[in-house]
Protein backbone atom coordinates (compact mmCIF):
# COMPACT_ATOMS: atom_id res chain seq x y z
CA UNK A 1 0.00 0.00 0.00
CA UNK A 2 1.19 3.53 -0.66
CA UNK A 3 1.07 6.18 2.03
CA UNK A 4 2.51 9.66 2.10
CA UNK A 5 5.93 10.34 3.59
CA UNK A 6 5.82 10.01 7.37
CA UNK A 7 7.41 12.37 9.88
CA UNK A 8 9.71 10.78 12.47
CA UNK A 9 9.36 12.71 15.71
CA UNK A 10 11.79 12.42 18.61
CA UNK A 11 11.89 14.05 22.03
CA UNK A 12 15.38 13.22 23.21
CA UNK A 13 18.91 12.53 22.03
CA UNK A 14 18.62 8.88 23.06
CA UNK A 15 16.16 8.22 20.21
CA UNK A 16 18.25 9.55 17.36
CA UNK A 17 20.01 6.27 16.52
CA UNK A 18 16.73 4.36 16.29
CA UNK A 19 15.22 7.22 14.28
CA UNK A 20 18.05 6.96 11.75
CA UNK A 21 17.43 3.24 11.53
CA UNK A 22 13.74 3.85 10.74
CA UNK A 23 14.78 6.45 8.19
CA UNK A 24 16.43 3.65 6.22
CA UNK A 25 12.95 2.16 5.78
CA UNK A 26 11.53 5.55 4.65
CA UNK A 27 14.44 7.47 3.14
CA UNK A 28 12.26 10.49 2.32
CA UNK A 29 11.07 10.85 5.91
CA UNK A 30 12.69 13.58 7.99
CA UNK A 31 13.62 13.34 11.65
CA UNK A 32 12.10 16.15 13.69
CA UNK A 33 13.86 16.86 16.99
CA UNK A 34 12.68 18.96 19.92
CA UNK A 35 14.49 22.31 20.05
CA UNK A 36 17.09 22.45 22.79
CA UNK A 37 16.89 18.70 23.49
CA UNK A 38 18.04 17.04 20.30
CA UNK A 39 21.20 17.77 18.35
CA UNK A 40 21.57 16.56 14.80
CA UNK A 41 17.93 16.02 13.79
CA UNK A 42 16.95 16.98 10.23
CA UNK A 43 14.42 19.58 11.37
CA UNK A 44 13.77 21.25 14.70
CA UNK A 45 10.32 21.79 16.21
CA UNK A 46 9.47 24.03 19.16
CA UNK A 47 6.64 22.42 21.06
CA UNK A 48 5.74 18.73 20.98
CA UNK A 49 1.95 18.96 21.41
CA UNK A 50 1.41 21.70 18.87
CA UNK A 51 3.71 20.07 16.36
CA UNK A 52 2.19 16.60 16.67
CA UNK A 53 -1.37 17.91 16.35
CA UNK A 54 -0.41 19.92 13.32
CA UNK A 55 1.07 16.88 11.59
CA UNK A 56 -2.06 14.91 12.41
CA UNK A 57 -4.39 17.57 11.08
CA UNK A 58 -2.35 17.76 7.91
CA UNK A 59 -2.78 14.02 7.44
CA UNK A 60 0.96 13.35 7.74
CA UNK A 61 1.72 9.83 9.03
CA UNK A 62 3.47 10.06 12.41
CA UNK A 63 6.22 7.83 13.77
CA UNK A 64 6.85 9.01 17.33
CA UNK A 65 9.71 7.66 19.42
CA UNK A 66 8.29 8.04 22.89
CA UNK A 67 5.81 6.54 25.31
CA UNK A 68 2.43 5.63 23.80
CA UNK A 69 0.65 7.50 26.59
CA UNK A 70 2.20 10.83 25.61
CA UNK A 71 1.02 10.48 22.03
CA UNK A 72 -2.45 9.31 23.05
CA UNK A 73 -2.94 12.22 25.42
CA UNK A 74 -1.58 14.72 22.89
CA UNK A 75 -3.84 13.60 20.04
CA UNK A 76 -6.91 12.78 22.15
CA UNK A 77 -8.63 16.15 21.61
CA UNK A 78 -8.47 15.64 17.83
CA UNK A 79 -9.78 12.09 17.70
CA UNK A 80 -13.46 12.92 17.84
CA UNK A 81 -13.19 15.43 15.02
CA UNK A 82 -14.05 14.13 11.62
CA UNK A 83 -11.26 14.65 9.16
CA UNK A 84 -7.79 13.33 8.61
CA UNK A 85 -6.77 10.09 10.26
CA UNK A 86 -3.18 9.44 9.28
CA UNK A 87 -1.27 6.43 10.51
CA UNK A 88 0.19 7.03 13.98
CA UNK A 89 2.83 4.68 15.40
CA UNK A 90 4.90 4.78 18.54
CA UNK A 91 8.29 3.13 18.69
CA UNK A 92 10.29 2.39 21.82
CA UNK A 93 13.36 4.60 21.82
CA UNK A 94 15.67 1.57 21.72
CA UNK A 95 13.71 0.14 18.78
CA UNK A 96 12.46 -2.88 20.73
CA UNK A 97 8.73 -2.22 20.27
CA UNK A 98 6.65 -1.06 17.28
CA UNK A 99 3.08 -0.15 18.19
CA UNK A 100 0.52 0.92 15.58
CA UNK A 101 -1.89 3.24 17.43
CA UNK A 102 -4.22 4.89 14.95
CA UNK A 103 -5.08 4.94 11.28
CA UNK A 104 -6.19 1.35 10.71
CA UNK A 105 -7.74 2.41 7.44
CA UNK A 106 -4.67 4.51 6.66
CA UNK A 107 -2.37 1.51 6.48
CA UNK A 108 -0.84 1.76 9.95
CA UNK A 109 -0.39 -2.00 10.23
CA UNK A 110 1.45 -2.13 6.92
CA UNK A 111 3.81 0.55 8.20
CA UNK A 112 4.22 -1.22 11.53
CA UNK A 113 5.29 -4.35 9.69
CA UNK A 114 7.69 -2.43 7.45
CA UNK A 115 9.33 -0.70 10.41
CA UNK A 116 9.41 -3.86 12.52
CA UNK A 117 11.12 -5.69 9.67
CA UNK A 118 13.71 -2.88 9.49
CA UNK A 119 14.32 -3.07 13.26
CA UNK A 120 14.15 -6.88 13.28
CA UNK A 121 11.42 -7.06 15.89
CA UNK A 122 7.76 -8.09 15.74
CA UNK A 123 5.12 -5.42 15.24
CA UNK A 124 2.48 -5.23 17.96
CA UNK A 125 -0.47 -5.82 15.59
CA UNK A 126 -3.75 -6.04 17.47
CA UNK A 127 -6.26 -6.28 14.61
CA UNK A 128 -7.47 -9.92 14.62
CA UNK A 129 -8.48 -10.22 10.96
CA UNK A 130 -5.20 -8.72 9.93
CA UNK A 131 -3.25 -11.10 12.18
CA UNK A 132 -4.96 -14.16 10.80
CA UNK A 133 -5.20 -13.30 7.11
CA UNK A 134 -2.21 -11.02 6.73
CA UNK A 135 -4.42 -8.26 5.30
CA UNK A 136 -7.26 -6.12 6.50
CA UNK A 137 -10.27 -7.24 4.46
CA UNK A 138 -12.18 -4.16 5.54
CA UNK A 139 -9.52 -1.88 4.12
CA UNK A 140 -9.30 -2.70 0.42
CA UNK A 141 -6.65 -0.74 -1.48
CA UNK A 142 -7.46 2.62 -3.01
CA UNK A 143 -9.64 2.17 -6.06
CA UNK A 144 -11.98 -0.22 -4.23
CA UNK A 145 -14.84 0.57 -1.88
CA UNK A 146 -16.36 -1.67 0.72
CA UNK A 147 -20.16 -1.77 0.33
CA UNK A 148 -20.94 -1.87 4.04
CA UNK A 149 -18.49 -1.69 6.95
CA UNK A 150 -20.88 -3.18 9.54
CA UNK A 151 -21.77 -6.17 7.35
CA UNK A 152 -18.07 -6.44 6.62
CA UNK A 153 -17.19 -6.74 10.30
CA UNK A 154 -19.66 -9.61 10.67
CA UNK A 155 -18.22 -11.27 7.61
CA UNK A 156 -14.68 -11.08 9.00
CA UNK A 157 -15.93 -12.47 12.33
CA UNK A 158 -17.42 -15.42 10.45
CA UNK A 159 -14.09 -16.11 8.76
CA UNK A 160 -12.28 -15.79 12.09
CA UNK A 161 -14.76 -18.34 13.45
CA UNK A 162 -13.58 -20.83 10.84
CA UNK A 163 -15.72 -20.37 7.73
CA UNK A 164 -14.01 -20.66 4.37
CA UNK A 165 -14.44 -18.23 1.53
CA UNK A 166 -14.44 -17.92 -2.25
CA UNK A 167 -13.65 -14.89 -4.39
CA UNK A 168 -15.69 -13.71 -7.36
CA UNK A 169 -14.31 -10.96 -9.61
CA UNK A 170 -10.82 -9.48 -9.77
CA UNK A 171 -9.21 -8.91 -6.36
CA UNK A 172 -5.49 -8.85 -7.17
CA UNK A 173 -4.53 -7.58 -3.70
CA UNK A 174 -5.92 -10.72 -2.09
CA UNK A 175 -3.55 -13.00 -3.99
CA UNK A 176 -0.99 -12.96 -1.21
CA UNK A 177 -3.49 -13.04 1.64
CA UNK A 178 -3.75 -16.19 3.73
CA UNK A 179 -7.50 -16.61 3.26
CA UNK A 180 -9.15 -19.99 3.89
CA UNK A 181 -10.23 -20.31 0.24
CA UNK A 182 -12.56 -23.01 -0.97
CA UNK A 183 -14.39 -22.88 -4.33
CA UNK A 184 -17.52 -24.36 -2.76
CA UNK A 185 -17.61 -22.02 0.25
CA UNK A 186 -20.84 -20.33 1.17
CA UNK A 187 -19.02 -17.10 2.14
CA UNK A 188 -18.21 -14.99 -0.86
CA UNK A 189 -16.05 -11.95 -1.55
CA UNK A 190 -17.63 -10.33 -4.58
CA UNK A 191 -15.77 -7.64 -6.55
CA UNK A 192 -17.67 -5.88 -9.35
CA UNK A 193 -19.45 -2.70 -10.37
CA UNK A 194 -22.90 -4.24 -10.88
CA UNK A 195 -25.47 -3.05 -8.35
CA UNK A 196 -26.23 -5.93 -6.03
CA UNK A 197 -27.94 -6.71 -2.76
CA UNK A 198 -25.39 -8.40 -0.48
CA UNK A 199 -26.50 -11.65 1.10
CA UNK A 200 -25.59 -12.38 4.72
CA UNK A 201 -22.60 -14.37 3.49
CA UNK A 202 -21.16 -11.80 1.16
CA UNK A 203 -18.44 -9.20 1.43
CA UNK A 204 -19.26 -6.80 -1.40
CA UNK A 205 -16.44 -4.71 -2.79
CA UNK A 206 -17.01 -2.24 -5.59
CA UNK A 207 -14.13 -1.27 -7.86
CA UNK A 208 -14.20 2.44 -8.64
CA UNK A 209 -14.23 1.63 -12.33
CA UNK A 210 -17.00 3.85 -13.69
CA UNK A 211 -16.92 7.40 -15.08
CA UNK A 212 -19.95 9.42 -16.10
CA UNK A 213 -19.61 12.04 -18.82
CA UNK A 214 -21.96 14.95 -18.20
CA UNK A 215 -22.75 18.36 -19.63
CA UNK A 216 -23.65 21.53 -17.83
CA UNK A 217 -27.03 21.90 -19.53
CA UNK A 218 -28.67 19.09 -17.54
CA UNK A 219 -31.13 20.03 -14.80
CA UNK A 220 -30.67 18.21 -11.45
CA UNK A 221 -27.38 16.74 -12.52
CA UNK A 222 -26.76 14.56 -9.43
CA UNK A 223 -30.28 13.10 -9.76
CA UNK A 224 -29.71 12.46 -13.47
CA UNK A 225 -26.41 10.65 -12.74
CA UNK A 226 -28.04 8.50 -10.07
CA UNK A 227 -30.94 7.59 -12.34
CA UNK A 228 -28.67 6.77 -15.26
CA UNK A 229 -26.48 4.50 -13.08
CA UNK A 230 -29.54 2.77 -11.68
CA UNK A 231 -30.94 2.18 -15.15
CA UNK A 232 -27.60 0.74 -16.24
CA UNK A 233 -27.55 -1.41 -13.08
CA UNK A 234 -24.25 0.10 -11.93
CA UNK A 235 -23.54 0.62 -8.21
CA UNK A 236 -23.13 4.21 -7.06
CA UNK A 237 -20.04 3.16 -5.07
CA UNK A 238 -18.34 2.25 -8.33
CA UNK A 239 -18.55 5.81 -9.58
CA UNK A 240 -14.97 7.03 -9.74
CA UNK A 241 -15.45 10.47 -11.29
CA UNK A 242 -17.52 12.77 -13.43
CA UNK A 243 -16.08 13.95 -16.73
CA UNK A 244 -17.04 17.15 -18.54
CA UNK A 245 -15.88 19.21 -21.49
CA UNK A 246 -13.03 21.62 -20.57
CA UNK A 247 -15.08 24.63 -21.67
CA UNK A 248 -17.49 23.85 -18.81
CA UNK A 249 -14.80 24.07 -16.17
CA UNK A 250 -16.37 27.06 -14.44
CA UNK A 251 -19.96 25.72 -14.62
CA UNK A 252 -21.35 25.76 -11.11
CA UNK A 253 -23.84 22.91 -11.53
CA UNK A 254 -21.20 20.45 -12.77
CA UNK A 255 -18.98 21.36 -9.84
CA UNK A 256 -21.81 21.07 -7.33
CA UNK A 257 -22.90 17.72 -8.78
CA UNK A 258 -19.42 16.26 -8.29
CA UNK A 259 -19.35 17.64 -4.76
CA UNK A 260 -22.75 16.21 -3.94
CA UNK A 261 -21.87 12.82 -5.42
CA UNK A 262 -18.54 12.92 -3.57
CA UNK A 263 -16.38 12.19 -6.60
CA UNK A 264 -13.64 14.09 -8.41
CA UNK A 265 -14.43 16.05 -11.55
CA UNK A 266 -12.17 15.75 -14.59
CA UNK A 267 -12.13 17.70 -17.81
CA UNK A 268 -11.40 16.60 -21.35
CA UNK A 269 -11.08 18.97 -24.31
CA UNK A 270 -12.70 19.14 -27.71
CA UNK A 271 -15.20 16.26 -27.75
CA UNK A 272 -18.47 16.68 -29.62
CA UNK A 273 -20.90 14.81 -27.38
CA UNK A 274 -20.96 13.00 -24.06
CA UNK A 275 -20.57 9.59 -25.72
CA UNK A 276 -17.29 10.67 -27.33
CA UNK A 277 -16.26 12.32 -24.07
CA UNK A 278 -16.75 9.05 -22.17
CA UNK A 279 -14.84 7.11 -24.82
CA UNK A 280 -11.86 9.46 -24.72
CA UNK A 281 -11.86 9.67 -20.94
CA UNK A 282 -11.78 5.90 -20.43
CA UNK A 283 -10.37 4.27 -23.57
CA UNK A 284 -11.58 0.72 -24.11
CA UNK A 285 -14.44 0.99 -21.61
CA UNK A 286 -17.97 -0.17 -22.33
CA UNK A 287 -19.99 3.02 -22.92
CA UNK A 288 -23.69 3.29 -22.20
CA UNK A 289 -24.94 6.63 -23.56
CA UNK A 290 -28.25 8.44 -23.37
CA UNK A 291 -29.01 11.92 -24.81
CA UNK A 292 -27.03 13.91 -22.33
CA UNK A 293 -25.13 11.44 -20.12
CA UNK A 294 -22.72 8.64 -20.95
CA UNK A 295 -21.47 5.95 -18.57
CA UNK A 296 -18.04 4.42 -19.16
CA UNK A 297 -17.66 1.09 -17.37
CA UNK A 298 -14.14 -0.34 -17.12
CA UNK A 299 -12.94 -3.68 -15.76
CA UNK A 300 -10.54 -2.28 -13.20
CA UNK A 301 -10.41 0.79 -10.97
CA UNK A 302 -9.83 4.00 -12.91
CA UNK A 303 -6.67 5.99 -12.46
CA UNK A 304 -8.64 9.20 -12.07
CA UNK A 305 -5.58 11.42 -11.80
CA UNK A 306 -4.74 10.49 -15.39
CA UNK A 307 -8.15 11.12 -16.92
CA UNK A 308 -8.07 14.51 -18.65
CA UNK A 309 -7.28 17.06 -15.98
CA UNK A 310 -8.85 18.67 -12.97
CA UNK A 311 -9.94 22.27 -12.65
CA UNK A 312 -6.96 24.20 -11.44
CA UNK A 313 -7.14 25.99 -8.14
CA UNK A 314 -5.36 29.10 -6.99
CA UNK A 315 -5.63 30.23 -3.38
CA UNK A 316 -4.01 33.41 -2.19
CA UNK A 317 -3.54 32.86 1.51
CA UNK A 318 -2.55 34.90 4.52
CA UNK A 319 -0.38 33.19 7.12
CA UNK A 320 -1.13 35.69 9.84
CA UNK A 321 1.77 37.42 11.56
CA UNK A 322 3.78 34.23 12.09
CA UNK A 323 2.64 32.03 14.96
CA UNK A 324 0.87 28.89 13.76
CA UNK A 325 -1.98 29.45 16.25
CA UNK A 326 -2.82 32.70 14.51
CA UNK A 327 -3.30 31.01 11.15
CA UNK A 328 -6.97 30.51 10.29
CA UNK A 329 -8.12 26.89 9.82
CA UNK A 330 -9.14 27.25 6.14
CA UNK A 331 -5.60 28.32 5.37
CA UNK A 332 -4.22 25.24 7.12
CA UNK A 333 -6.55 23.03 5.10
CA UNK A 334 -5.50 24.78 1.91
CA UNK A 335 -1.82 24.22 2.71
CA UNK A 336 -2.53 20.52 3.06
CA UNK A 337 -4.18 20.23 -0.36
CA UNK A 338 -1.71 22.35 -2.34
CA UNK A 339 0.49 20.83 -5.02
CA UNK A 340 2.52 24.02 -5.55
CA UNK A 341 3.45 26.82 -3.19
CA UNK A 342 4.70 30.19 -4.41
CA UNK A 343 6.00 33.10 -2.44
CA UNK A 344 8.85 34.98 -0.90
CA UNK A 345 11.16 32.38 0.59
CA UNK A 346 10.80 33.55 4.21
CA UNK A 347 7.00 33.18 4.04
CA UNK A 348 7.09 29.86 2.19
CA UNK A 349 9.35 28.53 4.92
CA UNK A 350 7.01 29.93 7.57
CA UNK A 351 4.08 28.09 5.93
CA UNK A 352 5.81 24.66 6.15
CA UNK A 353 6.53 21.87 6.85
CA UNK A 354 5.53 20.55 3.44
CA UNK A 355 5.33 17.04 2.08
CA UNK A 356 7.83 15.80 -0.52
CA UNK A 357 5.17 15.82 -3.21
CA UNK A 358 4.50 19.55 -2.75
CA UNK A 359 6.58 21.75 -5.05
CA UNK A 360 7.96 24.96 -3.54
CA UNK A 361 8.65 27.92 -5.85
CA UNK A 362 10.53 30.51 -3.81
CA UNK A 363 11.08 33.91 -5.36
CA UNK A 364 12.34 37.34 -4.52
CA UNK A 365 9.98 39.59 -2.61
CA UNK A 366 9.77 42.15 -5.41
CA UNK A 367 8.71 39.92 -8.30
CA UNK A 368 5.04 40.10 -7.46
CA UNK A 369 3.44 40.32 -10.90
CA UNK A 370 5.73 37.61 -12.26
CA UNK A 371 4.81 35.39 -9.33
CA UNK A 372 1.10 36.03 -9.90
CA UNK A 373 1.35 35.03 -13.57
CA UNK A 374 3.41 31.99 -12.75
CA UNK A 375 0.69 30.96 -10.29
CA UNK A 376 -1.99 31.20 -12.99
CA UNK A 377 0.08 29.23 -15.48
CA UNK A 378 0.45 26.40 -12.96
CA UNK A 379 -3.21 26.54 -11.91
CA UNK A 380 -4.35 26.52 -15.55
CA UNK A 381 -2.54 23.18 -15.91
CA UNK A 382 -4.91 21.78 -13.30
CA UNK A 383 -2.63 22.09 -10.28
CA UNK A 384 -3.65 23.28 -6.83
CA UNK A 385 -1.56 26.36 -6.26
CA UNK A 386 -1.02 28.54 -3.22
CA UNK A 387 0.41 32.03 -3.22
CA UNK A 388 1.64 32.89 0.25
CA UNK A 389 1.52 36.28 1.95
CA UNK A 390 2.22 37.13 5.55
CA UNK A 391 -0.60 38.69 7.55
CA UNK A 392 -3.59 39.18 5.28
CA UNK A 393 -3.10 38.68 1.53
CA UNK A 394 -5.32 41.66 0.77
CA UNK A 395 -3.26 44.12 2.84
CA UNK A 396 -0.24 45.37 0.84
CA UNK A 397 0.30 41.85 -0.41
CA UNK A 398 -0.32 39.30 -3.15
CA UNK A 399 -4.13 39.22 -3.53
CA UNK A 400 -4.30 42.47 -5.48
CA UNK A 401 -1.35 41.42 -7.68
CA UNK A 402 -3.05 38.13 -8.49
CA UNK A 403 -6.31 39.85 -9.39
CA UNK A 404 -4.45 42.38 -11.49
CA UNK A 405 -2.75 39.58 -13.42
CA UNK A 406 -6.12 37.94 -14.05
CA UNK A 407 -7.77 41.21 -15.06
CA UNK A 408 -5.03 41.81 -17.63
CA UNK A 409 -5.27 38.34 -19.11
CA UNK A 410 -7.49 37.20 -21.99
CA UNK A 411 -6.58 33.59 -21.48
CA UNK A 412 -9.88 31.72 -20.91
CA UNK A 413 -7.95 29.01 -19.05
CA UNK A 414 -6.83 31.54 -16.44
CA UNK A 415 -10.37 32.81 -16.02
CA UNK A 416 -11.65 29.27 -15.42
CA UNK A 417 -9.23 28.68 -12.53
CA UNK A 418 -10.95 28.21 -9.17
CA UNK A 419 -9.57 31.32 -7.49
CA UNK A 420 -10.03 32.06 -3.82
CA UNK A 421 -8.54 34.59 -1.41
CA UNK A 422 -8.22 33.30 2.15
CA UNK A 423 -7.74 35.92 4.84
CA UNK A 424 -5.22 36.16 7.64
CA UNK A 425 -4.58 38.26 10.73
CA UNK A 426 -2.88 41.39 9.48
CA UNK A 427 0.15 42.81 11.32
CA UNK A 428 -1.74 45.94 12.43
CA UNK A 429 -4.45 43.83 14.08
CA UNK A 430 -2.02 41.37 15.66
CA UNK A 431 0.04 44.26 17.05
CA UNK A 432 -3.04 46.17 18.22
CA UNK A 433 -4.34 43.09 20.06
CA UNK A 434 -1.11 42.73 22.02
CA UNK A 435 -1.11 46.41 22.97
CA UNK A 436 -4.80 46.50 23.91
CA UNK A 437 -7.14 48.28 21.51
CA UNK A 438 -5.31 51.25 19.97
CA UNK A 439 -7.44 50.79 16.83
CA UNK A 440 -10.65 50.61 18.86
CA UNK A 441 -12.22 53.56 17.03
CA UNK A 442 -11.92 54.79 13.41
CA UNK A 443 -8.46 54.24 12.04
CA UNK A 444 -6.53 54.60 8.84
CA UNK A 445 -4.10 52.11 7.35
CA UNK A 446 -1.24 53.37 5.20
CA UNK A 447 1.84 51.92 3.61
CA UNK A 448 4.72 54.38 3.74
CA UNK A 449 6.39 52.72 0.78
CA UNK A 450 6.67 55.01 -2.21
CA UNK A 451 7.83 52.18 -4.50
CA UNK A 452 4.47 51.97 -6.25
CA UNK A 453 2.89 55.36 -5.47
CA UNK A 454 4.25 58.90 -5.44
CA UNK A 455 5.45 60.30 -2.13
CA UNK A 456 3.24 63.37 -2.66
CA UNK A 457 0.13 61.17 -2.37
CA UNK A 458 1.42 59.64 0.84
CA UNK A 459 2.02 63.11 2.27
CA UNK A 460 -1.46 64.25 1.31
CA UNK A 461 -3.15 61.19 2.79
CA UNK A 462 -1.12 61.42 5.99
CA UNK A 463 -1.95 65.07 6.37
CA UNK A 464 -5.68 64.55 5.86
CA UNK A 465 -5.88 61.40 7.99
CA UNK A 466 -3.99 63.06 10.83
CA UNK A 467 -6.16 66.14 10.49
CA UNK A 468 -9.31 63.97 10.60
CA UNK A 469 -7.99 62.50 13.87
CA UNK A 470 -7.87 58.88 12.75
CA UNK A 471 -5.64 56.50 14.67
CA UNK A 472 -2.92 55.51 12.16
CA UNK A 473 -1.32 52.20 11.26
CA UNK A 474 1.89 52.37 9.18
CA UNK A 475 2.99 49.36 7.18
CA UNK A 476 6.40 49.37 5.44
CA UNK A 477 7.47 52.29 7.65
CA UNK A 478 11.13 52.38 6.61
CA UNK A 479 13.77 50.43 4.72
CA UNK A 480 17.35 50.85 3.64
CA UNK A 481 16.17 52.17 0.28
CA UNK A 482 13.65 54.53 1.95
CA UNK A 483 15.52 56.02 4.93
CA UNK A 484 14.01 59.52 5.19
CA UNK A 485 10.30 58.98 4.55
CA UNK A 486 9.32 57.98 8.09
CA UNK A 487 10.85 61.13 9.61
CA UNK A 488 8.91 63.26 7.19
CA UNK A 489 5.71 61.32 7.88
CA UNK A 490 6.09 61.87 11.63
CA UNK A 491 6.57 65.59 11.06
CA UNK A 492 3.29 65.75 9.14
CA UNK A 493 1.44 63.85 11.87
CA UNK A 494 2.98 66.11 14.56
CA UNK A 495 1.30 69.11 12.96
CA UNK A 496 -2.05 67.66 14.09
CA UNK A 497 -1.21 65.67 17.24
CA UNK A 498 0.36 66.46 20.63
CA UNK A 499 3.78 65.01 21.55
CA UNK A 500 2.02 62.92 24.26
CA UNK A 501 0.03 60.96 21.64
CA UNK A 502 0.56 57.23 22.40
CA UNK A 503 2.52 55.19 19.86
CA UNK A 504 2.83 51.39 19.70
CA UNK A 505 5.77 49.71 17.97
CA UNK A 506 5.36 46.00 17.29
CA UNK A 507 8.34 44.20 15.82
CA UNK A 508 8.19 40.59 14.55
CA UNK A 509 4.85 40.18 16.25
CA UNK A 510 3.89 36.51 16.48
CA UNK A 511 7.41 35.46 15.52
CA UNK A 512 10.39 34.37 17.58
CA UNK A 513 11.97 37.35 19.35
CA UNK A 514 8.92 39.60 19.02
CA UNK A 515 9.00 42.97 20.81
CA UNK A 516 6.23 45.37 21.70
CA UNK A 517 6.95 48.91 22.89
CA UNK A 518 4.72 51.75 23.93
CA UNK A 519 6.10 55.24 23.48
CA UNK A 520 4.84 58.70 22.45
CA UNK A 521 4.86 60.68 19.25
CA UNK A 522 7.28 63.18 20.83
CA UNK A 523 9.78 60.46 21.76
CA UNK A 524 9.52 58.47 18.52
CA UNK A 525 12.50 58.63 16.18
CA UNK A 526 12.96 56.70 12.91
CA UNK A 527 15.95 54.76 14.28
CA UNK A 528 13.57 52.90 16.67
CA UNK A 529 11.79 51.44 13.65
CA UNK A 530 12.79 49.00 10.91
CA UNK A 531 11.02 47.22 8.07
CA UNK A 532 9.81 44.45 10.41
CA UNK A 533 8.01 46.96 12.61
CA UNK A 534 4.37 47.96 12.71
CA UNK A 535 3.81 51.56 13.80
CA UNK A 536 0.48 52.45 15.43
CA UNK A 537 -0.16 56.10 16.27
CA UNK A 538 -3.04 57.01 18.52
CA UNK A 539 -5.74 59.61 17.86
CA UNK A 540 -6.46 62.50 20.24
CA UNK A 541 -8.58 60.15 22.40
CA UNK A 542 -6.15 57.23 22.67
CA UNK A 543 -5.19 56.53 26.29
CA UNK A 544 -2.62 54.50 28.17
CA UNK A 545 -2.71 52.97 31.65
CA UNK A 546 -0.60 50.43 33.49
CA UNK A 547 -1.13 46.77 33.31
CA UNK A 548 -0.86 44.62 36.46
CA UNK A 549 2.11 42.88 34.79
CA UNK A 550 4.03 46.14 34.58
CA UNK A 551 3.38 46.77 30.90
CA UNK A 552 0.89 49.27 29.58
CA UNK A 553 -2.51 48.94 28.01
CA UNK A 554 -3.23 51.28 25.10
CA UNK A 555 -6.76 51.82 23.86
CA UNK A 556 -8.87 54.20 21.84
CA UNK A 557 -12.37 54.48 23.30
CA UNK A 558 -15.37 53.59 21.17
CA UNK A 559 -16.97 56.97 21.65
CA UNK A 560 -15.85 60.36 20.37
CA UNK A 561 -16.41 63.82 21.74
CA UNK A 562 -18.30 63.40 24.97
CA UNK A 563 -18.27 60.16 26.95
CA UNK A 564 -21.83 58.77 26.94
CA UNK A 565 -23.52 58.27 30.32
CA UNK A 566 -22.92 54.79 31.69
N1 LIG B 1 0.20 41.49 4.27
C1 LIG B 1 0.91 41.88 5.46
C2 LIG B 1 1.64 43.21 5.29
C3 LIG B 1 2.74 43.21 4.28
S1 LIG B 1 3.58 44.76 4.21
C4 LIG B 1 -0.05 41.94 6.64
O1 LIG B 1 -1.25 41.95 6.42
O2 LIG B 1 0.42 41.97 7.77
C5 LIG B 1 4.97 44.42 5.21
C6 LIG B 1 4.94 45.26 6.47
O3 LIG B 1 4.01 44.72 7.38
C7 LIG B 1 6.24 45.29 7.22
O4 LIG B 1 7.10 46.31 6.72
C8 LIG B 1 5.80 45.61 8.64
O5 LIG B 1 5.50 46.97 8.75
C9 LIG B 1 4.47 44.89 8.70
N2 LIG B 1 4.57 43.54 9.29
C10 LIG B 1 4.36 42.36 8.68
N3 LIG B 1 4.50 41.35 9.56
C11 LIG B 1 4.77 41.89 10.75
C12 LIG B 1 5.00 41.35 12.05
N4 LIG B 1 4.96 40.04 12.28
N5 LIG B 1 5.26 42.22 13.06
C13 LIG B 1 5.28 43.55 12.83
N6 LIG B 1 5.06 44.09 11.63
C14 LIG B 1 4.83 43.30 10.59
Amino acid sequence: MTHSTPAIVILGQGSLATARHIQQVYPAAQIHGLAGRVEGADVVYQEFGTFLRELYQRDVPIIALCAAGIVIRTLAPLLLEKGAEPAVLVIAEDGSAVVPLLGGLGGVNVMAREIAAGLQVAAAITTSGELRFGTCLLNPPSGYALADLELGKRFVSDLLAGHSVRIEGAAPWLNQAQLPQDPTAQHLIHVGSTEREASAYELLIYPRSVAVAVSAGIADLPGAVRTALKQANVAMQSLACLVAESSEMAAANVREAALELGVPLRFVSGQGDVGALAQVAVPGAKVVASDNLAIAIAEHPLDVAHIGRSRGRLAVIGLGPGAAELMVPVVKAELARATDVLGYETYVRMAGPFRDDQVLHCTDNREEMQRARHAFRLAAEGRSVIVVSSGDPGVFAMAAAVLEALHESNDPEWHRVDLEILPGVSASLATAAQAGAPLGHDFCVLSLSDNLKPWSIIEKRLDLAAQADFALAFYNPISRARPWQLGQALEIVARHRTPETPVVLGRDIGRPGQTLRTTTLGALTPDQVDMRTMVLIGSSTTCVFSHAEGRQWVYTPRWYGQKPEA
Side-chain angles (χ1 to χ4, degrees), residues 321 390-392 395 397 426-427 475-477 506 508-509 511 531-533:
S390 80
D392 182 89
V395 178
S426 192
Y475 286 77
N476 300 312
D508 280 341
I509 293 298
R511 300 181 190 170
M531 64 184 294
R532 284 147 67 180
T533 309

Side-chain angles (χ1 to χ4, degrees), residues 459-477:
E459 283 192 330
K460 180 173 171 188
R461 289 180 179 177
L462 271 169
D463 190 43
L464 292 171
Q467 188 184 330
D469 203 20
F470 284 111
L472 304 170
F474 294 164
Y475 286 77
N476 300 312

